[in-house]
Amino acid sequence: MMQVIPNLPLIGRAVELQAIGQHLAYARQYGLRVVGVAGEPGIGKSRLLTAAIEQTLVSHGQVLSGGATQSEGMPPYLPFLEALGDYVRQADTGVLREQTTFDAGVLAVLIPELVTRLGSMPEEQNIPVDQLRLRIFRAISLWLTHIATPHGLLLVLDDMHWADSASLDLLCALARNHANAPILVLVAYRSAEASESAVLQRTLVALNRQRILHTLLLAPLGTKQIGALAAAAGFPLHPAARRALWQHSEGSPFVAEELLRGWAAREVLTYDGVRWRLADTQTNTLPAGITLAVRQRLDMLPVPTRELLRVAALCGRSFESALLASCVEQHVEEIETLLGPALHAQIIELHGAVYSFRHTTLREILAEELTPSRKRRMHTQIAQSLEQHTTPSDARQVATLAFHFASGGDPERAVHYAAIAAANALAAAAPDQAIEQLQTALRLLPLNNAQRGALLLQLSEAALLSSDEYLALNTLNEARNWFAEQGDRHAAGDAALRLGHVYWRLEQLDRAQGAFEDAIQLLDTSASTQLVLAQADLGNLLAMSMHRYNEGLAYARKALLRAQQLEDEHTVAIVLRTLGNLLVRANYLAEGVPLLEQSLRLAEALGEMASAAESCILLSHAYAWNAELDRLPAMTERMLHLAQSAGDPYQMRHILTLRAKLAIVQGRWSDAERDIQEAQAAVDDVSSPEPQAFLLLIRGELAYERGEFEQACQHMSAAIAIYRELGPGLLVWFLGLLGQAQLAYGDLSAARALMVELSTLMDSTPKHALAYAEPLIQLAQLAMGLHEEARYSKIFRELLPFCNQWHNVLSDTVLGQLATAIGDVRAPEVLASAKTTALRLGMSPELARIAEAQADLAATQGRSGLNDVRRHLEEAFTQWNLLNNYTEVTRLQRRLAALDGAPASVLLPAGLSAREAQVLRLVATGKTNRDIAQQLILSEKTVANHVANILGKLGVENRAAAAAFAVRNGLVG
């Protein structure tokens, strides 16, 4: 008679369980941790997770548990949906409403049980699909953080070697953006299969890089531990039997348990009154490995029961008797009777009304035993049974139906459900799963089917969201040609328009232009929104990326005229924004700004908050370039309101950074620091690297304005490294800022190299556009700092069209400095204009620079201008002193002392002697000790002593740092 073995305790994993408890305690106190529980099938991962759950519940912690599954056709985020779905069904309604209020709409799309518990949900704003992913990640992450807040949360995610990419990306987002949440995530996976999953490997690398991943690799149990497992099962074994069990199970607790169950069923163990012995005749017939052990046990089940389990294995990890009865056309009572032996043999378990396989390996082996023809027939029966109980909103069941109908050989229904499942996946911002469903549908769909074109367009959209541009290109080319063959010029034109966007994204500009022109030709037979957008996009491409502003503006103007004729306010708002932005960037600010303002008003009136927020950002840049920074505070608050109303974290990517920038310009250091910290949280919510680079630049600018030049170089170097990856179009705007920081820090060679690189980048930028003005001002500052006098006149002439503007500094300030250097009579006028603007805008650092520029201008008048020189220098000194920039204060002190004829020793910093200062100047120019000795007619030993004294007085360790000090303190120039 078969002996029932009780559910066994955790054996041999005390150290691992204790480690999990310690990690949970750490997470509760210090923030989120991820523990990977890795091992081979049957090694005890799931049992360890169960023990960890029980341990956490004893300590009154919150536990959520879910897992991935091997079956195809699973919806995105399945492990999280299982965990949160159980929570929704059990949580207090009031608590649930409080935790999900802000993101209830987007959460309800993923977890329909929320609507059942909380009633109707607020309607979501129309968020672009490419930004919805961020919203979903934020919504679920915040919800988990709320759940965790009282007592900590243990989030258990099992079988993650089968997880979809959306689930793993969500895990990374949770870890990245909520590092302070009291959450411990247990991620269990099979070691061998994990190595074959590129997305899981990428996730583990990302988590490890954040230094929050800790891995528990479960090793096989030893002989004593296997013996303890057998004893717990009621079979204290004789040493020989214990060794045989350990040898044939290879230390796997699951295999050992299966072998014990098999031995007990076959009665091959004999009891001697103390221990159980294995009959000698059985020693050589024992199965080795997990598959044989399981099959041997399954062979002992009644044939009808085993046949039924094979069908159940196709249904999934869990199944209901009613579904199984429908599939095999038997009564539920008969099914439950047939399942009885499997329950008794502990092949399956019953929880409420749901059966589940005790281990995934059992299910895998049973499913493999079906013949291909039987599998196809059963897949069809499962699908037909599920279809009777499925609603369109049940994303999980729809995806399962698509899989079963496709596997069962019913292409028409498979295509129908695959298309719905793909739409659900896109709505959940899970493009990889949408791609799988759409490729399945297209593979099954006849070439001449009318649905094909729409599915191709949907596949291209999913491919772009998955950053697979080449799949998108191939799909769109196929769609464009398919629609053209069908005689549908409008749809073919729409595909060509999308094709242009992809080519543009890949920087294949000529092909992008060709695709947009193709779209216009196909669409030009009748007025349509798509034609307007094609013209606007072509104009944008020509102007912004190909620097053909006149052609680009012509297309944009034509698009606006057509949009107005269509009386489509939504399209008008888009084209107004496009044309206004092109005009601004072409330096037609007076014409472009009103169009941007009109676009903003129209988008707000239409309730399109995301579009309005984008118009706000463009307007903010335009106001800044137009030296109207006083309009930015109100605009920033407006942008914040719009972005929050849209519920779109992407729109927050620059808003707080711009606010920090304004605080820096006005010398409000503490406000800037606060805004930078807030901006960092917003930037962390965005996957694009560009907002991170811009924030790093702002950090660098704050350090620069405070005289912390080394720190400025560090932040700006990190930013420029990102901009280099993003391409020259963005790099040219900011490269010179790093050069200025390097110049201030004393790294003259690096600054000179950047100046040359910047000059080369500017060669491909139109000289009349604002994209030229910003780097031109940076080039001017570098040239003056490096005394590249041959560049002055040319830069001055090129900068004149941008007078009365602001490009990180006032253009009039730089014009005044250049005019002074080349002796142009306009110097007093432009410096006075700069000062008027700086006073109006409260630009304290700029006022200090202007005052010093006016001192330099007064110095050109000789002795008659000395009083003005002193007055302006004192004004600059006062400004920097109020700003606590003691680097600039010290430098200006020396200039003022020089005017009063103070001895050199008074003017020299760090107590340097005149000779030491002389040596330091030569060190800073790159001279060796031998060179210095020859130039000053000293011995090398004397020079070496001087250098040693200099390093000691400056408190630096090497010549490079000493050279930087010399430059910062005006000892070289």
Side-chain angles (χ1 to χ4, degrees), residues 255-317:
V255 177
E257 191 174 339
E258 289 299 301
L259 285 170
L260 271 177
R261 294 177 194 276
W263 294 353
R266 290 163 48 216
E267 299 181 349
V268 298
L269 290 171
T270 59
Y271 188 58
D272 63 7
V274 179
R275 290 173 295 193
W276 293 83
R277 295 176 180 268
L278 189 65
D280 293 338
T281 56
Q282 302 295 327
T283 303
N284 296 323
T285 63
L286 294 175
I290 191 167
T291 301
L292 288 177
V294 170
R295 281 187 173 152
Q296 191 177 72
R297 270 226 309 133
L298 292 172
D299 285 341
M300 287 181 276
L301 293 172
V303 172
T305 298
R306 185 164 179 175
E307 286 295 309
L308 189 61
L309 288 178
R310 287 171 181 157
V311 177
L314 291 185
C315 293
R317 186 173 55 194

Side-chain angles (χ1 to χ4, degrees), residues 782-861:
L782 286 171
M784 287 187 287
L786 293 166
H787 304 292
E788 293 272 346
E789 297 177 5
R791 296 177 179 264
Y792 294 176
S793 294
K794 179 176 181 293
I795 295 174
F796 179 76
R797 291 192 303 271
E798 292 180 346
L799 191 54
L800 280 172
F802 306 105
C803 64
N804 300 317
Q805 292 181 6
W806 180 83
H807 298 282
N808 218 52
V809 296
L810 291 173
S811 57
D812 286 357
T813 302
V814 179
L815 278 168
Q817 292 170 323
L818 288 168
T820 298
I822 64 176
D824 190 284
V825 297
R826 286 169 283 189
E829 176 188 346
V830 290
L831 286 174
S833 171
K835 186 169 186 177
T836 298
T837 303
L839 283 169
R840 174 172 59 84
L841 299 175
M843 304 168 71
S844 301
E846 190 81 5
L847 284 168
R849 277 187 283 269
I850 294 167
E852 191 164 3
Q854 289 176 318
D856 293 337
L857 175 62
T860 62
Q861 299 171 13

Side-chain angles (χ1 to χ4, degrees), residues 400-483:
T400 304
L401 280 167
F403 165 66
H404 285 301
F405 275 125
S407 301
D410 188 338
E412 184 177 349
R413 281 176 166 169
V415 168
H416 170 73
Y417 285 112
I420 296 174
N424 289 338
L426 283 176
D432 291 341
Q433 288 64 50
I435 289 172
E436 291 177 12
Q437 297 288 355
L438 290 165
Q439 287 179 327
T440 297
L442 287 164
R443 185 177 68 251
L444 297 172
L445 197 68
L447 291 175
N448 60 351
N449 189 285
Q451 196 178 355
R452 189 171 195 83
L455 291 178
L456 286 168
L457 291 180
Q458 200 173 13
L459 177 56
S460 71
E461 180 184 354
L464 285 176
L465 291 172
S466 187
S467 298
D468 192 342
E469 286 84 1
Y470 291 101
L471 174 60
L473 282 179
N474 293 334
T475 305
L476 285 169
N477 271 309
E478 184 181 349
R480 186 257 181 237
N481 295 332
W482 188 88
F483 282 123

Side-chain angles (χ1 to χ4, degrees), residues 109-156:
V109 172
L110 297 173
I111 306 174
E113 293 99 322
L114 268 178
V115 179
T116 304
R117 292 296 314 276
L118 301 181
S120 60
M121 296 290 169
E123 290 188 12
E124 281 297 303
Q125 293 286 339
N126 186 22
I127 303 172
V129 178
D130 60 339
Q131 298 167 24
L132 178 62
R133 187 178 182 85
L134 300 175
R135 179 72 184 275
I136 289 173
F137 286 0
R138 186 188 67 173
I140 294 180
S141 297
L142 282 175
W143 189 11
L144 290 170
T145 302
H146 287 317
I147 294 171
T149 299
H151 305 293
L153 168 66
L154 177 67
L155 175 61
V156 177

